[in-house]
Amino acid sequence: MIGEKERSIKLKTLQLKAEEILADYRIAYKSRQASLLGRREVMGGKAKFGIFGDGKEVAQVAMARQFAKGDFRAGYYRDQTFMFAIGATTISQFFAQLYAHADLEAEPGTGGRGMSSHFATRFLDENGHWKDLTKMYNSSADVSPTGSQMPRLVGLAYASRLYRELDSLKKFKQFSRGGREIAFGAIGNASCAEGMFWEAVNAVGVLQAPLLLSIWDDGYGISVPNEYQITKADVSQVLAGFQRQKGGKPGYEIFRVKGWDYPALMETYARAARTVREEHVPAIIHVVEVTQPQGHSTSGSHERYKSKERLQWETEFDCIRKMRLWMIKNDLFSAEELDEIEAKDRAEVESIRNQAWKAYSEPIRAEVAEVLAFINEALAGSANAGELREIRKSLAAIPNPLRRDTMVAVQKTLIAIRGENLPVQPKIVEWKAAQDKLNAERYHSCLYSETDDSALKVPVIEPEYSDDAPAINGFEVLNACFDVALARDPRVIAFGEDVGKLGDVNQGFRGLQEKYGELRVADTGIRECTIIGQAIGMAMRGLRPIAEVQYLDYLLYALQIMSDDLATVRWRTRGGQKAPVIIRTRGHRLEGVWHSGSLMSGIMNLLRGIYILVPRNMTQAAGFYNTLLRAEEPALIVEVLNAYRQKEKLPRNIGEFTVPLGQPEILREGTDVTLVTYGACCPISLAAAERLNRLGVSVEVVDIQTLMPFDLAGRVGQSLQKTNRIVFVDEDVPGGTSAYMMREVLENQDGYRWLDSAPLTIPGQPHRPAYGSDGDYWSKPNVEEIVEKIYRMMNEVNPEKYPIFF
Ligand SMILES: Cc1ncc(C[n+]2csc(CCOP(=O)(O)OP(=O)(O)O)c2C)c(N)n1
């Protein structure tokens, strides 16, 4: 019903003004134009790859109507209309990202690092400090692996519960207004076949966190239809068991709505958001009958796998067409009026596209011009004019040049004029060095913090001991440290399997749930991937999670999300977001295939962007926790299992002292061989050094302590200068972390210069460790093996002094 004066329309529960409807339509329409033009840019060679949100526009303007300041989004590459509608991404920024414009001014989400339609807002200011997130529309940074937005959503939503229920958090006003914020998620239908989707949905249901999840169901995952993706080919049917019932146990509110039905979408989103925000109950909206007019991405065409009937249906049920017809049918606007508006909007999007292209391409063209000028200058005096002309011609002929094209031309030019002593030569070298610096900033910066929240900038505070310091179990040292941390900072939240009531399987948190409550020290289900995701989301909302993965071996379940999401947060947003998650786990030297905790190199190689700390005892571990809690960077701490019950003296300043990252400790001085190791291999190496001492071999044992960062001051290199021989010992596979350490020393510390013997690694076996103490003995390096191998090294140096006797 249309009120003539008001020009509004009454839906079941909403009254919508015509101008609001038109505003929604225009955003949807412009977004469609951006998708259409975006695809053309890729096909025309101006961008490498495009993936767009066409077909989801109308659902997303409805979703955006419910998104409030302070709320958080975690979605995926289809969400452009939503991002436009909340004003968090402009159309210009959308094109800048499509072109990979590596300039934060033009593309503030990722600075050109993220792929097309990978959205993010900036949570941090230029100093890396948190902005007031309650005053902004927040979007956590997208990742490509399907379903990987789900684990993070657990924490983004759960943080609201913590802010609502913990009085001690009320003072952190820049992060929350009493937990009223909700998290919005979005996922494609086919990605619901991923395990982490179900793990996250279950976790949010258990936690009763305020999540509003939209599933855009266009019936396919690239070419594979729902019949191959989901039981009954229908995700909300399968999700039905999560639906809460009146008088029953808590669950979800589940909705189903058609993606082309604007009034129904508006009603559904309003109802769902009200339920989530007011009742703090999670909800899922299964948006069905969604289309994908341009197919999955620019990599293929959907005519290859969709039937003619389906394609025809998609044209007919296109959401923009349907919304337009609905507006006309309801006399809101005439076809002529809409035609006029659309023409204007089309022209506007085209003009924005043109400007974005100019902004991207002009600086590069200017650099090309500079290089061409250098070549011209070189041509004047070089004997290789022919070659230079060729270089100039190829560079000038590139229609859409890239920066790398300038680098190719520069190197070829320098080769052509080498030895000619032309005045232009140093100018080119200087220009190249300046460009290298700029490009390093463009592409390499922000892997770790470069601002004052860096873990490397935390001042060192030595542990202090009173004369009568008690020697207590290692786990009690940790327990005392966590107690102080929880008391000091209400944002510290510890959780994991058996962390709450039991205080973790090794009692680091013993008694702390009783003291600080179930929300501060919490049990979780067995769900490593979403334990980490929960921590990522919480950390993005200003909390300081200590997330526990019970054993190092089970970190593999979380490794993908740690690698794709956590490790890249700061880098992929070029310093716009951070997630200072502390991951606690334990490993090394338990026994058996899945309880040996030695999988370090897989972890090491996949987690650049996360610090990796391997304290040899619980005092060192406590010092690391103290350091990390004073910084805001993600880190993994691998505690040594058999150190929990070793006696250690309790520092008087247990909650204050810090252990710096990247600073190895010399555990035993020696002159013949440097032995580099860490964690559980420290005591074994020390025992081997003691036995070798009897044999006249003096071993310097260095505990590296943090694998990432590795020995920032080059102490291992200094030790090697003294001993001229080096051995790397660890439990990992051959070529694993021992090889990583060797490269660090030989390549980065120029260690090769000091070597008098071939460097040696003494790792574990290539297979998993066998069960039992004998299985362990023959699977991992042992004292006897280390003694024999180092002694052999010395025998080679001086067979008379070190004759073989075994
Ligand atoms: C883990 C992972 N596997 C495969 C892919 C390749 N891939 C990208 S999108 C996609 C289909 C996703 O379909 P759906 O979830 O329905 O979302 P849509 O793209 O249709 O919106 C696939 C298989 C990926 N990105 N990540």
Side-chain angles (χ1 to χ4, degrees), residues 136-248:
M136 309 184 338
Y137 296 109
N138 304 296
S139 171
S140 60
D142 293 352
V143 293
S144 291
T146 48
S148 289
Q149 66 274 44
M150 292 301 301
R152 188 180 343 124
L153 272 169
V154 177
L156 290 176
Y158 184 58
S160 285
R161 258 201 73 192
L162 295 168
Y163 280 115
R164 180 146 105 164
E165 292 177 35
L166 287 170
D167 283 340
S168 52
L169 290 176
K170 296 272 185 289
K171 63 183 175 193
F172 296 99
K173 296 203 183 310
Q174 75 197 108
F175 296 116
S176 177
R177 290 158 304 159
R180 269 184 293 154
E181 305 76 21
I182 64 177
F184 284 70
I187 187 165
N189 52 293
S191 301
C192 298
E194 293 281 10
M196 69 180 95
F197 168 81
W198 296 95
E199 190 180 313
V201 166
N202 179 55
V204 169
V206 169
L207 295 169
Q208 283 295 291
L211 166 69
L212 176 45
L213 178 67
S214 298
I215 302 170
W216 313 132
D217 191 345
D218 70 330
Y220 292 83
I222 308 186
S223 67
V224 182
N226 270 342
E227 284 69 24
Y228 292 94
Q229 306 279 2
I230 302 283
T231 308
K232 302 183 182 177
D234 187 327
V235 70
S236 57
Q237 265 199 58
V238 184
L239 283 165
F242 286 85
Q243 171 69 49
R244 65 176 178 165
Q245 305 293 350
K246 249 203 175 124

Side-chain angles (χ1 to χ4, degrees), residues 97-114:
Q97 191 175 55
L98 183 68
Y99 302 137
H101 191 166
D103 181 344
L104 281 176
E105 291 280 313
E107 204 275 89
T110 76
R113 291 176 184 185

Side-chain angles (χ1 to χ4, degrees), residues 9 18 35 73 122 132 174 202 221 226 250 474 476 480 486 512-513 537 543 589 591 645 673 675 730 735:
I9 187 160
S35 300
R73 162 195 174 269
R122 297 190 82 74
D132 186 341
Q174 75 197 108
N202 179 55
N226 270 342
E476 292 170 303
L486 285 158
L512 298 182
Q513 185 182 68
L543 298 170
R589 237 59 219 195
E591 287 160 13
R645 292 200 172 268
V673 179
L675 186 161
D730 87 339

Side-chain angles (χ1 to χ4, degrees), residues 617-642:
N617 60 37
M618 297 307 148
T619 309
Q620 296 304 99
F624 283 143
Y625 284 113
N626 290 337
T627 302
L628 293 172
L629 286 167
R630 280 165 177 72
E632 294 208 318
E633 293 202 85
L636 168 70
I637 298 197
V638 182
E639 294 165 13
V640 175
L641 255 164
N642 52 15

